[in-house]
Amino acid sequence: MELVSLIVPCYNEQESLPYLYEELCRVMTSLSDYEFEILFINDGSKDDTLKLIRALSKRDERVKYISFSRNFGKEAAMYAGFCNAKGDYTAVMDADMQDPPSLLPEMLRIIKEENYDSVATRRVSREGEPPIRSFFARQFYKLINKISDADIVDGARDFRLMKKQMVDAIVSMTEYNRFSKGIFGWIGFKTYWLPYENVERVAGETKWSFWKLFIYALNGIINFSQVPLYIASCFGIMLTIVAAIMIIFIILRRLIMGDPVQGWASTACIIIFIGGVQLFCMGIIGQYLAKTYLEVKQRPQYIVAESNIEKTEK
Ligand code: UDP
Ligand code: MG
């Protein structure tokens, strides 16, 4: 029988886990042609999530878990899952049931019968989400698709089912600054996009503030595009041209009209303007430098504190 691994990153999910487990059991029973393992990744939860997972793993041998020594973020949690998933097929899903487990049978059918390497999901609606958040999310997808080769569909979720080959490709990407939506697109393979209506969280609350999402989006751009660096260079070139024209203009004016001392205000404005542009560009370069700094340190993505599987390091 083929094995399906389900990776579930959990950060303070004690309220939603019982619902998820129950629903997963229902789905797993209905898919009797497959074997399953559920990989709960406890991402340094401060509530009773770990206790719950431990209890589940004692009761049900399909339940595996890895518990981090602190909160390393959802990206690290997903990576830990991929590194330890043994399935012929692997799926990642949120613990809050916003990635409905009931889609799994359909996803498995598509991947097997229609010969795709992965089945990914996208939300076609964003009901229940603050409108500004949706607006910025849309702009982000437009922008990143224009300026990078990480092909990301608007409304794409991290919820997808993949063949082993694709999981191996993801595990082989050991970068420290991870942006999974970009990585999934970057590695290629044939992906089927399954649309579904947005589902609201079953319990608990979102772990993403607007600010956290904004930083995450910036990260995505910096990780998958060099365009901001080109913008910095373009500013440099543009300003050099403007300065050359101004120099010629001033020399001509001096020769033709003579030059009473004048114009300190415009000089001050120019200095401030150029200073601003320079700092802005240095900021962009700094962002890339900071990422490079973190990459070269080659720190592990996560530290395991406790687990019931043997192989837990990548
Ligand atoms: N999550 C995590 N580590 C974090 C933040 C979130 O493992 O630092 C998990 C969380 O438990 C959930 C999933 O990532 O299973 C998605 O988080 P959430 O539902 O809060 O995000 P949203 O759906 O609101 O974008
Ligand atoms: Mg959610």
Side-chain angles (χ1 to χ4, degrees):
M1 268 207 278
E2 283 176 311
L3 177 69
V4 180
S5 305
L6 304 173
I7 300 171
V8 187
C10 308
Y11 177 50
N12 297 345
E13 298 284 5
Q14 61 177 15
E15 282 99 14
S16 20
L17 272 186
Y19 295 101
L20 178 80
Y21 179 70
E22 204 178 298
E23 176 74 9
L24 281 179
C25 283
R26 234 193 321 269
V27 172
M28 290 188 298
T29 320
S30 74
L31 288 165
S32 49
D33 305 344
Y34 297 91
E35 273 183 299
F36 285 90
E37 62 171 2
I38 312 177
L39 256 169
F40 286 113
I41 317 291
N42 173 38
D43 184 13
S45 301
K46 294 182 181 67
D47 61 2
D48 286 337
T49 304
L50 178 60
K51 259 195 217 154
L52 254 164
I53 298 175
R54 260 194 225 129
L56 287 178
S57 75
K58 292 225 172 78
R59 233 171 53 202
D60 184 342
E61 58 173 23
R62 293 171 299 187
V63 175
K64 311 269 167 30
Y65 70 91
I66 297 173
S67 180
F68 290 174
S69 59
R70 65 168 172 87
N71 179 248
F72 279 88
K74 187 186 174 189
E75 289 291 338
M78 288 197 288
Y79 186 64
F82 286 128
C83 291
N84 292 282
K86 300 187 184 71
D88 302 290
Y89 302 101
T90 299
V92 200
M93 58 170 69
D94 284 8
D96 57 6
M97 308 241 295
Q98 279 192 302
D99 300 331
S102 54
L103 288 178
L104 275 173
E106 172 70 359
M107 291 163 88
L108 273 164
R109 189 194 65 74
I110 294 171
I111 213 169
K112 277 207 87 153
E113 290 174 14
E114 303 188 17
N115 201 22
Y116 281 93
D117 298 302
S118 94
V119 179
T121 56
R122 58 183 283 254
R123 291 188 289 186
V124 284
S125 65
R126 286 176 171 274
E127 259 136 65
E129 201 185 56
I132 355 170
R133 196 158 146 175
S134 307
F135 172 77
F136 279 105
R138 279 208 192 89
Q139 299 311 313
F140 167 72
Y141 287 116
K142 266 193 207 149
L143 180 70
I144 195 154
N145 277 315
K146 261 196 203 123
I147 65 177
S148 78
D149 49 8
D151 166 33
I152 305 175
V153 176
D154 181 13
R157 303 273 310 169
D158 289 333
F159 182 29
R160 27 169 106 210
L161 182 74
M162 286 166 272
K163 284 190 178 158
K164 188 150 189 38
Q165 205 185 6
M166 205 163 156
V167 174
D168 290 341
I170 294 169
V171 172
S172 76
M173 294 182 68
T174 53
E175 62 214 71
Y176 184 78
N177 296 287
R178 298 186 79 76
F179 181 65
S180 286
K181 288 191 171 80
I183 292 177
F184 294 150
W186 190 90
I187 55 175
F189 292 104
K190 239 174 92 182
T191 299
Y192 180 92
W193 286 98
L194 190 68
Y196 74 100
E197 294 287 326
N198 189 36
V199 185
E200 285 192 48
R201 229 176 201 285
V202 60
E205 49 193 57
T206 177
K207 312 295 175 308
W208 295 87
S209 62
F210 185 81
W211 183 240
K212 237 173 135 183
L213 270 179
F214 180 72
I215 301 278
Y216 185 63
L218 273 189
N219 255 330
I221 291 174
I222 291 168
N223 282 327
F224 279 90
S225 169
Q226 272 93 322
V227 169
L229 282 176
Y230 294 130
I231 294 176
S233 325
C234 288
F235 264 131
I237 295 169
M238 256 161 44
L239 283 175
T240 314
I241 295 171
V242 172
I245 295 172
M246 279 166 69
I247 290 170
I248 295 169
F249 173 73
I250 287 167
I251 292 176
L252 288 181
R253 196 176 63 171
R254 166 77 179 82
L255 291 177
I256 297 164
M257 312 211 295
D259 189 25
V261 177
Q262 211 179 53
W264 67 269
S266 54
T267 313
C269 289
I270 290 169
I271 291 174
I272 293 170
F273 173 69
I274 306 280
V277 173
Q278 274 176 344
L279 282 181
F280 174 71
C281 294
M282 266 168 59
I284 293 179
I285 298 167
Q287 285 297 320
Y288 283 86
L289 187 65
K291 297 266 177 258
T292 315
Y293 179 58
L294 282 175
E295 290 299 340
V296 292
K297 283 198 207 176
Q298 299 210 321
R299 285 186 179 163
Q301 307 271 342
Y302 56 89
I303 310 272
V304 177
E306 183 188 326
S307 171
N308 67 347
I309 19 184
E310 305 89 61
K311 180 196 152 217
T312 48
E313 299 301 329
K314 65 163 192 298

